[in-house]
Amino acid sequence: MQKITQALIKWLPTGAGAGITAHFLWNHQWTQAGLSTFITAGSSVWVKFSGKFMEAIEKKAEEKGEKAGQWVGEQIDTLPAKFRERTSDFQGTYQQTLVDFYRDYKTEGFRIGLPVLDLEDVFVPLKVETETPENIPGAMVSDQSPSKTLENQEIWNFLAAIPKEPVYRCMAVIAPPGYGKTTLLKHLTLTYAKNDHGKYKAPKFVPVLLYLRDVREQITSQQPPTLPQLITDHLKIQPAFAELNPPPNWFQEQLKLGNCLVMLDGLDEVADEKERISVSQWVNQQIITYRKTAFILTSRPYGYTSAPVDEVGVILQVLPFTLEQMKQFIHSWYLQTEIRCRAGRNNSVVRAEAKTNANDLIERIINNRAIADMAKNPLLITMIATVHYSGSTLPGRRVELYQKICELLLGTRQAAKKIKAPLTCN
């Protein structure tokens, strides 16, 4: 019996069940040993069965999991491409809308029936130089001439220098009324919207142009918006931009990455001084928040000195037109006006007529010192050209032109800009 017991114990599988069976056999408890042997054997079979079963399940799960993982991975891989595609679609549509919106050369409040011209057809690059706000004259008519050492400097020279000269990241363009500050920002917007910045060797930017007079109420509210909120909200209320639907946080990301050129026009056009200071402080905070973003702020001299922006790195003064700039503008303006007035015909007869009339105007300006001084101002030269085209004669005295200018600047122009004029007829 002892040999049989030892043989059974040797035959039994190892484990806790086998130990219990061996104990029963050793103590000759046959019934208990039999039951224990059956249970242990069954357990062993179940372990083997369940092990194979679980192996099969795990294998299938691994296969399914691998396929699911591959699918998820493929979807994740396509997300950046899809996001880039949507971003690219929005940016392309946004920039084309900018081109359509800002392409016209218009003098706000000055309408006498002549056709609207394309800005890029008549735009003359403005000369600028660095200056302190206190030294910039505020008069529309000035005898100031460009510095000979900087006469070829344009805003593009400073934009191109931003990568090497971070101080140019935030610029203020200061000039008297009529010197073309708004037109300059429109030109920048159009150039960037058309992706033509490369010819100026300037960094690539997404242009954003805001008129401070239009957004001052939001900025001076109890809870002023952040810059990306302001841009997005302002686009929504502009009929031309209302359907753009930018991707969520698109402007926020572009501003953080430094991809935008934010142009804020007309600090001086915030008429109330307390509001102007609030707007100035808000602009300053946005420059601090978006350290990589490029900013250009425009203002008349008094508007800036009364509410300076501390973070501005350089002040640029717009210089009066030179004789050559004046001639270039008149020839371009007359040619485009003649073409538009003749239903788009651009032939030798039309060009000859435009050249003759332009030369006549230039000669009249050069021979009249009073009007020649006025012709240094881009707005005034536009008015002079319009008067000449309409009647072929110019007033002999500057005061006669001033009457029309005052009506424009204090009346229809202010109304067109929705600015409350502080002056009255009394």
Side-chain angles (χ1 to χ4, degrees):
M1 183 60 67
Q2 187 173 2
K3 290 181 179 180
I4 293 173
T5 300
Q6 290 174 343
L8 284 171
I9 292 172
K10 184 181 289 186
W11 172 82
L12 286 171
T14 59
I20 294 171
T21 301
H23 170 76
F24 288 139
L25 289 171
W26 194 261
N27 290 288
H28 309 292
Q29 295 175 321
W30 312 114
T31 302
Q32 291 89 334
L35 290 171
S36 178
T37 300
F38 176 78
I39 293 170
T40 300
S43 298
S44 176
V45 171
W46 168 250
V47 168
K48 291 180 180 180
F49 170 79
S50 62
K52 295 294 184 181
F53 177 79
M54 293 307 294
E55 283 181 14
I57 291 296
E58 288 175 1
K59 186 175 181 180
K60 285 293 183 183
E62 286 178 1
E63 291 176 359
K64 294 292 185 182
E66 184 176 357
K67 291 180 179 179
Q70 289 176 351
W71 181 84
V72 171
E74 290 172 358
Q75 298 307 306
I76 291 174
D77 289 341
T78 61
L79 282 177
K82 290 178 179 178
F83 181 77
R84 286 195 300 270
E85 182 179 352
R86 186 181 175 192
T87 294
S88 177
D89 289 345
F90 167 74
Q91 184 171 334
T93 304
Y94 169 67
Q95 292 189 186
Q96 182 56 52
T97 307
L98 289 176
V99 172
D100 296 336
F101 194 74
Y102 290 111
R103 70 187 308 161
D104 294 341
Y105 177 70
K106 295 185 293 187
T107 301
E108 292 177 291
F110 192 44
R111 299 286 184 273
I112 60 171
L114 290 181
V116 176
L117 308 181
D118 277 359
L119 172 61
E120 294 303 280
D121 288 335
V122 297
F123 179 78
V124 175
L126 301 176
K127 306 300 183 182
V128 297
E129 64 180 10
T130 56
E131 187 54 275
T132 58
E134 295 79 11
N135 293 333
I136 299 175
M140 291 187 69
V141 179
S142 171
D143 58 0
Q144 183 184 18
S145 299
S147 169
K148 292 182 179 180
T149 58
L150 295 174
E151 62 181 0
N152 293 321
Q153 291 286 86
E154 299 176 14
I155 189 71
W156 289 109
N157 297 103
F158 294 89
L159 287 170
I162 287 177
K164 295 182 179 179
E165 299 288 346
V167 70
Y168 297 148
R169 184 180 69 87
C170 301
M171 297 182 281
V173 177
I174 311 297
Y179 268 54
K181 301 180 294 296
T182 301
T183 303
L184 173 63
L185 297 190
K186 288 181 179 180
H187 161 70
L188 294 176
T189 301
L190 282 173
T191 303
Y192 274 113
K194 292 179 177 180
N195 294 315
D196 288 340
H197 57 281
K199 63 185 178 183
Y200 299 104
K201 300 181 180 179
K204 179 179 177 61
F205 288 123
V206 176
V208 175
L209 175 54
L210 295 172
Y211 301 129
L212 289 175
R213 65 175 183 267
D214 292 340
V215 295
R216 63 173 181 81
E217 290 186 2
Q218 296 94 307
I219 293 174
T220 57
S221 64
Q222 291 185 349
Q223 293 183 329
T226 62
L227 180 56
Q229 289 173 336
L230 181 66
I231 296 169
T232 303
D233 292 345
H234 188 64
L235 288 179
K236 289 179 181 178
I237 64 175
Q238 297 292 323
F241 297 89
E243 298 180 1
L244 283 182
N245 191 26
N249 300 318
W250 192 83
F251 281 105
Q252 171 82 3
E253 291 303 316
Q254 299 304 313
L255 291 166
K256 282 185 177 179
L257 294 171
N259 292 339
C260 292
L261 172 62
V262 177
M263 293 164 281
L264 305 171
D265 185 50
L267 179 62
D268 60 286
E269 293 178 351
V270 180
D272 182 84
E273 188 169 349
K274 290 183 179 180
E275 289 189 345
R276 191 185 313 130
I277 292 173
S278 295
V279 170
S280 174
Q281 293 171 344
W282 180 87
V283 171
N284 203 64
Q285 183 56 54
Q286 304 316 304
I287 295 174
I288 293 173
T289 302
Y290 300 100
R291 285 289 185 186
K292 294 182 178 180
T293 296
F295 289 84
I296 298 178
L297 173 73
T298 69
S299 179
R300 298 179 189 181
Y302 172 75
Y304 188 82
T305 55
S306 64
V309 178
D310 295 337
E311 289 294 319
V312 164
V314 63
I315 306 291
L316 297 180
Q317 173 189 3
V318 179
L319 299 172
F321 265 3
T322 63
L323 178 60
E324 290 306 313
Q325 286 175 303
M326 182 264 289
K327 289 181 178 180
Q328 179 184 344
F329 174 81
I330 290 175
H331 278 290
S332 298
W333 186 91
Y334 246 110
L335 175 60
Q336 296 305 319
T337 300
E338 294 285 2
I339 291 173
R340 294 298 180 93
C341 287
R342 287 166 171 76
R345 294 196 302 274
N346 182 4
N347 52 43
S348 59
V349 174
V350 173
R351 291 191 294 271
E353 180 75 10
K355 185 175 181 180
T356 298
N357 290 331
N359 287 336
D360 178 72
L361 175 57
I362 291 169
E363 183 179 357
R364 290 170 181 268
I365 290 173
I366 292 175
N367 292 331
N368 188 320
R369 175 60 187 274
I371 297 179
D373 287 340
M374 296 177 67
K376 295 178 181 179
N377 181 303
L379 172 62
L380 298 185
I381 188 59
T382 302
M383 296 181 65
I384 292 170
T386 303
V387 171
H388 181 261
Y389 184 89
S390 301
S392 298
T393 59
L394 292 178
R397 296 183 303 158
R398 191 158 68 186
V399 68
E400 296 174 33
L401 274 178
Y402 275 160
Q403 181 179 355
K404 182 64 178 178
I405 293 166
C406 287
E407 292 174 0
L408 172 67
L409 296 179
L410 300 179
T412 55
R413 185 171 170 83
Q414 298 294 91
K417 290 186 175 185
K418 299 178 181 180
I419 301 172
K420 292 182 180 180
L423 299 180
T424 65
C425 296
N426 296 327

